[in-house]
């Protein structure tokens, strides 16, 4: 493909090639987001003794498409006295980083859009930007409910970002690299080499922080269905609302992929007997995503201040202690465990 | 520098946690509630006034619509007041049936409360589990009265008719296989009593199921322990009744303190709380469901062995059987008079209360000797509970307000009447 492009459009060949790669990532991502909503409804449905969507298409498989179409045709209502420009900007600011972060995600040893050395930092930076979208949405809506939701979300995301960042420090210490491809490569050699074992507490904290970071139950205080109705996107309708929705699910997939890459060996197979491949990454991600849905069906919602307490008083101290522990162990003869 | 002021927030009536049409004007300091001002009346249907223009029997269905999650118990208070004023003797079998259905209603109500409360706190699965069981209980309602919610089953002098000998079954439908039909109709082969007994055998495991999801759940405990604490003294002073009062540790239950119907023959415990917080009230209600189930079992075994009339033979208040009307002129006249003019209650006044799932539900009737009440006053348990909302939420956060509304088990049908 690339040589053909070189031949016909020598000036833009690289740009077009990159654009094609972006499309090749974004389209499957959009489809998986759509079907993640479908599986969420199905999985939670079965957990609750009901059927979930089953009317549109076989087994309700066309339901996400019907939903998307419905939202596309709905009017986007702008509340009076809202800040119009910011109101439209907020959903864009939420979804753009959620997709942009995918640039550095390696799908296997070769398949990566931007193989940059500071990949992990880039991902952290991108996920942090998403909070601006939420804050702006709450501010621009001119609604007290939306404002409360965005304040909660700002505090929550900032504090869980720290816990999440610390868990990643543990991974960095083990992998000696910020490049996600190198982090996975550092875990090669079977299931026992995966970082989830030496970093088990960090893995748990990472995953819980990831749930909090994506505003999912039981940490969905920013949305708080029964308290502040829909929180920061209470005033949004139609496609603007759908964009927030897409961003939430895209973020869920993103943090699950990251967990799979950093702790569960990414595309590496658990034993040398079975070949590695992208399907391993997909299986691990899907398994982690299932936990998101499972949590939502099981747990009550935390209160806003309880979430902060959990983040600051429990997670951050544990991660700090474990990082020091790893650092100390690396100086001993057991350091083989951590490479 | 600008002065920092509290802000007011309008909570409801269109709010997912408003339990209908509650409107609260909240004065908030950040997320902390300084004052909660409930505004009521959005579901006012003038039940008390309407009853003044209808015969006593015509008012019975209005009672269903007061607290629309515990329908038959509302009727119970109303027909009991009428019976008290007219000195009607209710057949013993009817009394057992009433107790049976009071307790079925209590479970119905507590299941809805549990589902809604858990949903308010964010646990949505419990809601659907609770509704799964409510379905069976609605089928019992349907089997005796023909209506799944607004039964109008209790009548002055007894109940509308005896329990059916055949439990209605699901009809075959083309989207259900033979196997599916057999599964659905498996426990519907016998009489209604068999069906209820089967349910009461299954029910404790269901309660266990809800408790696994909630009772020891750390998040559930964090959200309910120490929230909305009411001391026993304040609970009494605020006029709380039912689980709200028992949750604060006051052992007060009309079924025990002033037994009506055959409650004095029933063996059951009255669970009481200790701290008076949302968690205790949750535990009290969960335990009450188990106790109700015990009462249901006792009623079933009595009802199996003791057939008999279920409505008074006095045709001045209870209609004669259709068969009698075919042959007996007097029965015909009674029937005609009863369903046109209705019956007259001698001059006087009376108050009767029952232990409603939410507390003390009473009706107060003043009669001037006509065939309709001069004045009907309904004492709804939810009303004083809602009045205490401001006191209970003070200093709590917005999320706790939702938990407290949930624990109060508020239904606007009875509060606005």
């Amino acid at each position: 493909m690339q040589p053909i492009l070189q031949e016909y459009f020598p000036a833009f060949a690289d740009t077009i090639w990159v654009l094609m790669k972006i499309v090749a990532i974004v389209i499957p991502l959009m489809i998986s987001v759509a079907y993640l909503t479908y599986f969420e409804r199905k999985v939670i449905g079965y957990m609750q003794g009901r059927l979930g969507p089953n009317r549109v298409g076989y087994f309700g498989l066309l339901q996400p498409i019907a939903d998307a179409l419905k939202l596309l045709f709905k009017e986007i209502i702008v509340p009076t006295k809202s800040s119009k420009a910011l109101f439209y900007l907020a959903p864009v600011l939420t979804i753009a980083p959620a997709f942009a972060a995918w640039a550095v995600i390696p799908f296997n040893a070769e398949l990566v859009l931007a193989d940059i050395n500071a990949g992990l930092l880039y991902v952290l930076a991108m996920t942090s930007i998403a909070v601006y979208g939420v804050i702006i949405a709450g501010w621009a809506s001119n609604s007290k409910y939306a404002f409360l939701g965005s304040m909660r979300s700002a505090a929550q995301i900032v504090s869980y970002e720290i816990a999440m960042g610390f868990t990643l420090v543990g991974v960095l210490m083990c992998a000696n690299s910020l490049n996600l491809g190198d982090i996975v490569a550092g875990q090669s050699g079977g299931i026992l080499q995966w970082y989830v074992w030496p970093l088990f507490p960090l893995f748990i904290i990472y995953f819980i922080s990831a749930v909090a970071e994506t505003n999912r139950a039981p940490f969905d205080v920013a949305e708080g269905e029964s308290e502040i109705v829909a929180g920061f996107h209470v005033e949004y309708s139609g496609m603007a609302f759908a964009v927030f929705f897409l961003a939430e699910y895209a973020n869920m997939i993103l943090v699950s992929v990251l967990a799979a890459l950093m702790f569960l060996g990414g595309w590496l197979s658990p034993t040398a007997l079975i070949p590695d491949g992208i399907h391993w990454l997909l299986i691990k991600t899907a398994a982690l995503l299932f936990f998101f849905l499972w949590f939502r069906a099981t747990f009550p919602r935390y209160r806003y201040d309880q979430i902060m307490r959990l983040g600051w008083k429990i997670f951050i101290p544990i991660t700090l202690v474990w990082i020091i522990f790893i650092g100390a162990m690396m100086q001993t003869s057991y350091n083989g465990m951590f490479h | 520098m600008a002065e920092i002021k509290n802000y007011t927030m309008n909570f409801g009536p269109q709010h997912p946690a408003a339990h209908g049409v509650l409107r609260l004007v909240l004065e908030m300091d950040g997320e902390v509630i300084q004052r909660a001002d409930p505004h009521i009346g959005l579901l006012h249907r003038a039940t008390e006034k309407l009853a003044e223009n209808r015969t006593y029997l015509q008012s019975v269905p209005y009672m269903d619509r007061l607290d629309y999650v515990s329908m038959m118990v509302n009727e119970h208070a109303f027909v009991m007041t009428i019976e008290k004023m007219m000195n009607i003797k209710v057949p013993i079998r009817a009394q057992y049936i009433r107790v049976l259905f009071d307790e079925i209603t209590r479970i119905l109500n507590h299941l809805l409360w549990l589902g809604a409360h858990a949903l308010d706190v964010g646990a949505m699965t419990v809601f659907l589990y609770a509704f799964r069981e409510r379905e069976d209980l609605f089928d019992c309602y349907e089997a005796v009265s023909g209506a799944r919610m607004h039964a109008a089953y209790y009548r002055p002098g007894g109940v509308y008719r005896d329990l059916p000998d055949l439990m209605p079954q699901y009809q075959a439908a083309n989207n259900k296989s033979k196997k599916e039909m057999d599964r659905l109709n498996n426990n519907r082969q016998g009489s209604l009593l068999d069906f209820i007994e089967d349910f009461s055998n299954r029910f404790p495991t269901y309660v266990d199921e809800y408790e696994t999801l909630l009772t020891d759940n750390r998040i559930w405990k964090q959200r309910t322990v120490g929230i909305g604490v009411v001391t026993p003294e304040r609970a009494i002073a605020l006029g709380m009744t039912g689980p709200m009062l028992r949750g604060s540790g006051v052992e007060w239950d009309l079924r025990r303190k002033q037994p009506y119907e055959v409650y004095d023959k029933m063996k059951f415990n009255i669970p009481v709380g200790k701290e008076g917080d949302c968690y205790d009230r949750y535990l009290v209600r969960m335990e009450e469901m188990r106790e109700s189930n015990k009462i249901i079992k006792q009623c079933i075994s009595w009802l199996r062995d003791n057939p008999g009339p279920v409505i008074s033979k006095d045709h001045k208040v209870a209609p004669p059987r259709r068969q009698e009307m075919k042959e007996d002129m007097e029965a015909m006249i009674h029937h005609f008079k009863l369903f046109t003019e209705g019956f007259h209650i001698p001059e006087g006044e009376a108050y009767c209360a029952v232990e409603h799932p939410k507390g003390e539900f009473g009706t107060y009737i003043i009669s001037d000797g006509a065939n309709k009440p001069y004045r009907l006053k309904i004492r709804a348990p939810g009303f004083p509970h809602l009045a205490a909302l401001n006191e209970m939420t003070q200093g709590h956060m917005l999320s706790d307000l939702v938990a407290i509304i949930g624990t109060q088990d508020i239904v606007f049908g009875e509060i606005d009447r």
Side-chain angles (χ1 to χ4, degrees):
Chain A
M1 198 74 186
Q2 214 174 358
I4 305 173
L5 285 169
Q6 286 285 5
E7 201 179 323
Y8 290 101
F9 314 99
F12 311 109
D14 287 344
T15 320
I16 294 175
W17 181 236
V18 168
L19 280 176
M20 283 169 76
K21 283 203 268 190
I22 291 175
V23 169
I25 291 177
V26 168
I27 298 236
L29 178 62
M30 293 287 263
I31 293 170
S32 21
V33 164
Y35 279 90
L36 181 56
T37 64
Y38 169 77
F39 280 109
E40 167 162 47
R41 292 171 66 178
K42 271 288 184 195
V43 166
I44 295 182
Y46 282 121
M47 283 177 179
Q48 296 176 337
R50 38 188 192 95
L51 292 174
N54 65 348
R55 294 285 116 176
V56 196
Y58 288 102
F59 310 106
L61 274 169
L62 294 177
Q63 185 71 44
I65 297 174
D67 287 344
L69 276 179
K70 183 198 80 172
L71 288 166
L72 266 175
F73 285 116
K74 286 186 110 175
E75 186 190 354
I76 300 176
I77 299 162
V78 184
T80 45
K81 290 188 184 170
S82 63
S83 174
K84 206 171 172 190
L86 287 179
F87 190 78
Y88 285 120
L89 178 67
V92 180
L93 258 184
T94 317
I95 199 160
F99 282 172
W102 284 85
V104 295
I105 302 290
F107 297 97
N108 68 28
E110 291 87 40
L111 259 174
V112 52
L113 176 59
D115 192 8
I116 53 175
N117 281 334
L120 199 54
L121 277 186
Y122 172 80
V123 168
L124 274 181
M126 280 299 146
T127 51
S128 306
I129 288 178
V131 71
Y132 285 103
V134 174
I135 295 173
I136 290 174
W139 172 258
S141 297
N142 185 32
S143 157
K144 283 167 185 169
Y145 285 93
F147 187 60
L148 271 180
S150 65
M151 286 203 305
R152 287 177 173 195
S153 150
Q156 177 189 342
I157 294 186
V158 167
S159 48
Y160 277 83
E161 194 87 351
I162 297 173
M164 205 167 159
F166 276 132
T167 59
L168 300 189
V169 169
V171 176
L172 297 185
M173 288 166 75
C174 289
N176 283 322
S177 169
L178 278 166
N179 184 306
L180 286 164
D182 291 348
I183 291 175
V184 176
Q187 301 178 60
S188 54
I191 191 166
L192 293 173
Q193 296 300 314
W194 295 357
Y195 291 154
V196 63
W197 307 120
L199 303 177
F200 192 72
L202 296 188
F203 172 67
I204 299 293
I205 290 177
Y206 171 82
F207 196 65
I208 298 175
S209 304
V211 177
E213 183 85 3
T214 47
N215 281 334
R216 294 285 302 178
F219 301 99
D220 54 342
V221 288
E223 233 174 279
E225 173 67 31
S226 57
E227 296 151 26
I228 47 172
V229 196
F232 60 92
H233 56 46
V234 67
E235 300 291 347
Y236 282 86
S237 58
M239 214 46 211
F241 165 74
V243 165
F244 277 116
F245 209 71
L246 288 177
E248 180 180 328
Y249 284 81
N251 270 326
M252 269 167 71
I253 302 178
L254 178 71
V255 290
S256 303
V257 165
L258 280 177
L261 287 172
M262 292 185 301
F263 295 99
L264 302 174
W267 58 80
L268 301 173
S269 98
T271 68
L273 302 173
I274 317 169
D276 304 336
I278 187 169
H279 55 279
W280 284 113
L281 183 65
L282 298 180
I283 291 170
K284 289 164 189 172
T285 310
L288 290 170
L289 281 170
F290 177 75
F291 278 92
F292 274 86
L293 311 183
W294 194 3
F295 288 160
R296 180 157 175 225
T298 313
F299 291 126
R301 184 184 306 111
Y302 268 108
R303 203 172 62 202
Y304 159 64
D305 59 324
Q306 289 163 350
I307 288 190
M308 306 300 278
R309 196 166 64 208
L310 185 71
W312 288 101
K313 291 196 179 164
I314 299 174
F315 285 176
I316 292 176
I318 292 180
T319 46
L320 281 174
V321 166
W322 201 256
I323 287 169
I324 293 166
F325 174 72
I326 294 170
M329 289 296 275
M330 279 176 160
Q331 304 306 319
T332 67
S333 56
Y334 295 106
N335 68 353
M337 261 178 80
F338 298 100
H339 285 293
Chain B
M1 205 176 122
E3 194 186 340
I4 296 174
K5 279 194 286 192
N6 290 340
Y7 66 101
T8 40
M9 198 161 126
N10 191 34
F11 183 99
Q14 312 289 343
H15 190 285
H19 284 222
V21 291
L22 169 66
R23 181 181 171 219
L24 284 170
V25 177
L26 300 173
E27 196 183 306
M28 312 260 294
D29 177 12
E31 284 240 357
V32 181
I33 294 163
Q34 303 296 319
R35 197 168 60 88
D37 188 8
H39 288 212
I40 60 164
L42 291 147
L43 198 62
H44 181 54
R45 292 156 303 176
T47 307
E48 292 172 0
K49 192 70 191 167
L50 283 167
E52 289 172 20
N53 295 299
R54 271 152 187 76
T55 64
Y56 288 98
L57 196 58
Q58 282 172 334
S59 293
V60 172
Y62 280 114
M63 298 300 131
D64 288 321
R65 286 153 179 82
L66 285 170
D67 179 356
Y68 43 75
V69 286
S70 34
M71 295 70 65
M72 286 198 193
V73 188
N74 303 338
E75 293 168 21
H76 199 168
F78 185 63
V79 297
M80 253 170 64
T81 319
I82 295 170
E83 283 153 10
K84 187 174 177 185
M85 293 178 87
M86 296 181 77
N87 270 327
I88 303 168
K89 192 91 183 67
V90 180
I92 182 83
R93 186 173 168 84
Q95 295 191 16
Y96 270 95
I97 293 175
R98 282 182 180 182
V99 169
L100 172 70
F101 271 91
D102 274 10
E103 296 310 317
I104 285 179
T105 310
R106 197 177 312 279
I107 292 179
L108 263 178
N109 177 81
H110 283 3
L111 282 177
L112 184 108
W113 155 80
L114 175 70
H117 187 28
L119 195 63
D120 285 348
V121 180
M124 60 174 174
T125 302
V126 188
F127 182 77
L128 285 129
Y129 282 2
F131 269 66
R132 183 184 60 193
E133 275 71 79
R134 272 169 66 85
E135 203 58 30
D136 281 345
L137 295 174
F138 275 133
D139 286 347
C140 299
Y141 261 51
E142 194 180 359
V144 291
S145 72
R148 287 166 65 78
M149 271 187 88
H150 302 307
Y153 179 59
Y154 294 5
R155 301 289 164 89
V159 293
Y160 165 55
R161 62 175 184 188
D162 206 346
L163 305 173
D165 291 329
L166 282 175
M167 182 69 196
Q169 298 187 354
Y170 281 100
Q171 302 288 308
N174 53 13
N175 64 342
K176 291 203 172 65
S177 63
K178 176 85 173 58
K179 219 175 114 195
E180 175 79 356
M181 289 306 298
D182 289 344
R183 189 186 62 79
L184 284 171
N185 285 330
N186 183 31
N187 50 11
R188 290 162 200 268
Q189 300 301 324
S191 67
L192 172 66
L193 280 177
D194 294 333
F195 181 75
I196 300 176
E197 185 167 31
D198 175 62
F199 177 83
S200 67
N201 290 335
R202 283 180 287 140
F203 187 62
T205 57
Y206 294 145
V207 182
D208 293 341
E209 221 169 87
Y210 314 139
E211 291 219 58
T212 9
L213 274 170
L214 297 176
T215 305
D216 288 327
N217 186 317
R218 296 172 73 110
I219 306 178
W220 177 257
K221 278 178 130 172
Q222 283 186 34
R223 287 299 303 278
T224 51
V225 173
I227 305 297
V229 179
V230 187
T231 59
E233 298 76 35
R234 282 307 291 164
I236 292 168
L238 287 163
M240 288 182 175
T241 44
M244 292 290 288
L245 185 61
R246 292 194 284 274
S248 296
V250 183
E251 195 196 343
W252 178 262
D253 190 320
L254 292 181
R255 291 175 293 174
R256 186 59 57 75
K257 297 290 171 191
Q258 30 181 284
Y260 48 97
E261 313 294 8
V262 287
Y263 274 116
D264 46 352
K265 294 179 193 147
M266 297 292 161
K267 281 196 192 69
F268 64 99
N269 301 318
I270 303 170
V272 288
K274 224 166 119 185
E275 311 291 337
D277 56 7
C278 288
Y279 188 64
D280 277 16
R281 288 188 283 268
Y282 156 78
L283 292 177
V284 164
R285 287 196 175 98
M286 293 307 269
E287 208 48 48
E288 260 178 36
M289 282 202 269
R290 293 180 196 275
E291 294 301 324
S292 289
N293 198 41
K294 283 184 202 163
I295 302 178
I296 288 176
K297 276 183 191 296
Q298 294 167 43
C299 287
I300 290 170
S301 63
W302 190 93
L303 284 166
R304 273 193 203 289
D305 306 337
N306 298 280
V310 293
I311 192 156
S312 163
K313 281 275 188 296
D314 178 3
H315 294 323
K316 297 283 182 233
V317 288
R321 295 173 58 84
R322 191 144 288 270
Q323 199 55 45
E324 290 170 37
M325 280 157 55
K326 309 272 189 209
E327 295 148 8
D328 183 8
M329 189 64 202
E330 201 170 337
M332 186 74 193
I333 295 168
H334 269 129
H335 182 269
F336 178 74
K337 286 284 275 181
L338 194 61
F339 286 108
T340 50
E341 192 188 341
F343 48 83
H344 292 253
I345 289 184
E347 221 170 299
E349 51 190 71
Y351 173 78
C352 250
V354 292
E355 184 65 29
H356 188 272
K358 293 182 169 65
E360 178 183 332
F361 183 94
T363 50
Y364 186 79
I365 295 177
I366 300 179
S367 171
D368 54 1
N371 57 352
K372 49 199 179 196
Y374 174 76
R375 174 82 169 91
L376 167 70
K377 166 82 181 90
I378 296 158
R379 194 260 181 219
F383 193 81
H385 295 166
L386 184 65
L389 186 71
N390 182 35
E391 189 174 319
M392 286 172 78
T393 52
Q394 219 124 65
H396 282 310
M397 298 182 89
L398 183 61
S399 318
D400 299 329
L401 167 79
V402 175
I404 291 170
I405 294 175
T407 194
Q408 287 193 342
D409 196 7
I410 280 179
V411 165
F412 269 78
E414 53 157 13
I415 289 172
D416 287 345
R417 303 199 269 281

